[in-house]
Amino acid sequence: MPEILVLYYSHRGSVQALARQLARGIESTRQVTARLRTVPKVSPVCTASEPEAPGSGAPYVEAADLEDCIGLALGSPTRFGNMAAAMKYFWDSTAAQWSAGTLAGKPACVFTSTASAHGGQESTLLSMMLPLLHHGMLLVGLPYGETDLSSTRSGGTPYGASHLAGSEGNATLTEEERRLAFAQGRRLAAIALKLAS
């Protein structure tokens, strides 16, 4: 069965919760599976390194995950209106895949979480799109046909699913956030399947 890579970095669990909901939406098509992967933390200490496998959650992403997928959902928490350093570090290491065109023509979407309502959700989503555009990917947003976009008081943007975690880092998604993440995953899967056929 074809797979869509759900690649995320999560610090407090909010982005992981979104990733799992997107995966449910992807797999709701019953024609594609979601492959959840993460990236290791980065450290300001040059000699520090993460273990070869995370202690819990999704395994670390490998080059084969990019090659094998028919689509990509990319998630990161917001760091000053941008993706987290760990995710940026990963994309900075993908020159070989860029040169080979590994991701060219594949659909992709983005998702994020912030501590505050105006903490940079949309700029983070836009910044995550940049490496995907350089890789030649086709970006998939959330259309306003998803009525939760017009009524949500928490997360959710036309650029991608999002979560408002608050200053305490609450990882529990609201019903609107859950539905929007699910819808984004389902939409990504439908487009990926259409392009792959």
Side-chain angles (χ1 to χ4, degrees):
M1 190 176 288
E3 293 182 327
I4 290 179
L5 176 60
V6 181
L7 176 59
Y8 69 92
Y9 173 74
S10 190
H11 181 66
R12 291 179 158 180
S14 297
V15 176
Q16 182 180 45
L18 283 169
R20 289 180 175 159
Q21 195 62 18
L22 263 96
R24 288 183 187 102
I26 290 166
E27 293 185 344
S28 72
T29 65
R30 300 183 188 273
Q31 297 175 21
V32 63
T33 56
R35 182 187 295 191
L36 278 87
R37 294 292 185 266
T38 191
V39 296
K41 292 180 181 179
V42 293
S43 171
V45 180
C46 294
T47 58
S49 63
E50 288 290 302
E52 288 191 29
S56 63
Y60 292 137
V61 66
E62 298 176 356
D65 295 318
L66 298 175
E67 295 161 10
D68 296 343
C69 72
I70 64 167
L72 169 70
L74 180 65
S76 171
T78 294
R79 296 293 183 264
F80 299 105
N82 204 334
M83 72 181 97
M87 187 58 74
K88 176 75 167 70
Y89 183 81
F90 168 76
W91 284 105
D92 286 349
S93 72
T94 61
Q97 290 78 20
W98 168 78
S99 180
T102 301
L103 295 171
K106 295 179 182 182
C109 68
V110 291
F111 57 100
T112 193
S113 177
T114 57
S116 63
H118 302 289
Q121 287 187 359
E122 292 181 347
S123 62
T124 299
L125 294 169
L126 290 168
S127 76
M128 287 194 300
M129 291 178 185
L130 296 176
L132 305 182
L133 287 167
H134 278 265
H135 276 274
M137 299 196 83
L138 308 172
L139 298 175
V140 176
L142 268 170
Y144 274 94
E146 298 297 334
T147 56
D148 284 316
L149 276 181
S150 298
S151 62
T152 183
R153 296 287 179 247
S154 51
T157 80
Y159 306 106
S162 62
H163 170 64
L164 177 56
S167 58
E168 289 79 37
N170 183 355
T172 304
L173 305 180
T174 67
E175 284 304 311
E176 291 90 354
E177 291 169 342
R178 290 173 57 79
R179 286 192 297 265
L180 288 168
F182 185 93
Q184 186 170 5
R186 184 183 61 227
R187 185 164 194 257
L188 177 63
I191 292 169
L193 286 166
K194 191 175 291 187
L195 289 171
S197 63

